[in-house]
Amino acid sequence: VGAVGTPSISFAGALNTGLYWIGADSFGLATGGALRMSVNTGSISTTVPYLAPDASAAAPAFSFGTDAGNGMYLNTTDTLGWATNGVLRLSLSTTGLTSTLPIRAPAGSAALPSLVFASDATKGFYDLASNEIGIGIAGVQKGKIRTVAAIGRMEIDEVRALNGQDFFFIRS
């Protein structure tokens, strides 16, 4: 049975390091007389950090038994990589988030734009209508970007009456 300080399975040179029975369907791994990992029928938990290998997109350090080509790994120094089908799809570093795939945001609204700024989540962009992107500020549509198919151009519509001032519009 053993205990954390005197594990049942230990080593001659380190009697306080080894495996012991914690309780029903549960065992512990101790080093230096302290619990470092416990295993039971529902989970594995540790009291020390798990240091995974750097790995690769083809074989991520954190992957799945039935699909080992999908998961997370250390892509390069200070950069996490997420792979699907063994190919890097998303990376997160200290300077940015990079995706090799289109980012699909919800449609959003003027009150809850899909693409917002960290400094102010009440202003941003959202899917207004077919071929139109809305610009919302403080929960109100303040502008839109749209294509005008008949003349093959993009325009940013003018929006009027914000504190009595007109907004400008751009047509190209």
Side-chain angles (χ1 to χ4, degrees):
V1 175
V4 69
T6 56
S8 302
I9 301 171
S10 62
F11 304 91
L15 297 176
N16 61 358
T17 298
L19 298 174
Y20 69 99
W21 183 69
I22 294 174
D25 301 324
S26 183
F27 74 90
L29 171 74
T31 61
L35 175 66
R36 305 300 182 191
M37 182 170 70
S38 63
V39 179
N40 62 45
T41 57
S43 67
I44 298 172
S45 59
T46 67
T47 61
V48 294
Y50 171 71
L51 302 176
D54 294 351
S56 68
F62 297 95
S63 62
F64 305 91
T66 58
D67 200 351
N70 293 319
M72 183 179 73
Y73 65 101
L74 182 65
N75 187 34
T76 187
T77 303
D78 297 329
T79 304
L80 290 176
W82 283 269
T84 59
N85 197 30
V87 177
L88 175 65
R89 307 296 184 178
L90 186 71
S91 63
L92 176 64
S93 72
T94 57
T95 58
L97 176 68
T98 306
S99 175
T100 63
L101 300 171
I103 296 174
R104 301 186 188 280
S109 66
L112 294 168
S114 297
L115 302 173
V116 298
F117 303 92
S119 61
D120 186 353
T122 67
K123 64 182 175 189
F125 301 93
Y126 60 97
D127 184 9
L128 181 61
S130 178
N131 297 318
E132 294 184 342
I133 297 171
I135 301 168
I137 299 174
V140 177
Q141 179 188 334
K142 297 295 184 177
K144 65 182 170 183
I145 302 169
R146 66 181 178 162
T147 60
V148 181
I151 54 177
R153 69 177 183 200
M154 178 188 80
E155 63 183 9
I156 300 175
D157 284 347
E158 127 182 57
V159 175
R160 297 188 179 268
L162 176 65
N163 298 327
Q165 300 294 315
D166 290 345
F167 281 92
F168 65 91
F169 64 93
I170 300 171
R171 296 183 191 272
S172 60

